[in-house]
Amino acid sequence: MIRLSESLLAVEQVAVAVLMTLLSGAILLNVMTRYLGMPLYWIDEFAVYCMVWMTFIGASTMARLRLDFAVTMLTGRLSPRTARAAQVAATLTVVLFALSLAVMCWLWFDPLGLAQAGFDGQAFAGRTFNFIYTERTQTLNWSTWVLYLILPIFALSMIVHGIANLLEDTGAAPRVQRTAMMNADEAVN
């Protein structure tokens, strides 16, 4: 599980870099075209979707790198054993949240229902009143379900990273050592 998490982390880091580049390029293109009096009406929507995807992928990356936010006011006053138990409980909460999100995404996307409808979005919507496969974005005219895929991707990546972190927290696997990386505690102190 640790190797899977680390491989996923490497892919996520590249994805975040690509999305940051796309977002920066979109913003610069937007500024230039507006300055020239020829604004591109779809660029704002594209930038928003880049930002949304980057946020979810970045959140998953930060959770694995243990750069996510932490409130250490209480755990800093606990004994090492109790603080470790609190860390395990917090990590377990992340895994349970990710599992819950994955279940909700499964129900929302309803891949079995879509298959029963012959992968016809209109028939699926007519039978279930779930319009996820028929909606389109306003200016780009993209299928929204493709953009919504970030939610199950995020849920699955958080499950993988959460289990890897849980294995490290419980001592079942050695903690991955990272060079030139600091956690939230080190950043604050």
Side-chain angles (χ1 to χ4, degrees):
M1 185 57 74
I2 301 291
R3 270 188 260 137
L4 176 61
S5 177
E6 291 298 307
S7 298
L8 179 58
L9 176 63
V11 170
E12 288 173 335
Q13 288 173 324
V14 170
V16 167
V18 167
L19 287 165
M20 286 178 93
T21 303
L22 287 172
L23 177 62
S24 299
I27 291 170
L28 287 173
L29 182 61
N30 194 13
V31 169
M32 288 185 337
T33 57
R34 284 177 187 247
Y35 179 75
L36 296 172
M38 300 178 296
L40 300 173
Y41 65 94
W42 54 267
I43 203 79
D44 290 327
E45 187 176 62
F46 179 77
V48 166
Y49 292 130
C50 284
M51 185 68 188
V52 168
W53 273 65
M54 186 176 63
T55 300
F56 279 103
I57 295 171
S60 176
T61 301
M62 288 178 63
R64 179 61 184 133
L65 293 173
R66 298 177 186 269
L67 293 172
D68 47 348
F69 66 91
V71 180
T72 58
M73 188 169 41
L74 174 65
T75 57
R77 299 175 193 271
L78 299 174
S79 69
R81 182 180 171 142
T82 309
R84 184 174 176 180
Q87 177 65 44
V88 168
T91 304
L92 190 57
T93 302
V94 169
V95 173
L96 292 175
F97 166 76
L99 286 168
S100 299
L101 182 60
V103 168
M104 286 188 276
C105 287
W106 179 266
L107 295 173
W108 183 30
F109 279 80
D110 192 9
L112 299 178
L114 182 63
Q116 290 172 347
F119 296 98
D120 179 2
Q122 295 287 344
F124 175 76
R127 199 168 73 224
T128 63
F129 295 105
N130 182 346
F131 299 95
I132 188 171
Y133 298 108
T134 58
E135 294 175 341
R136 314 273 309 166
T137 62
Q138 289 185 359
T139 59
L140 292 168
N141 199 30
W142 292 350
S143 294
T144 56
W145 72 269
V146 175
L147 298 169
Y148 296 154
L149 278 176
I150 192 55
L151 291 170
I153 290 169
F154 172 71
L156 295 176
S157 67
M158 285 299 290
I159 290 169
V160 170
H161 291 325
I163 291 172
N165 287 350
L166 195 58
L167 290 172
E168 291 175 353
D169 292 345
T170 59
R175 189 176 288 246
V176 174
Q177 297 300 316
R178 303 187 192 286
T179 57
M181 187 68 60
M182 71 175 70
N183 63 24
D185 291 334
E186 295 165 344
V188 172
N189 297 323

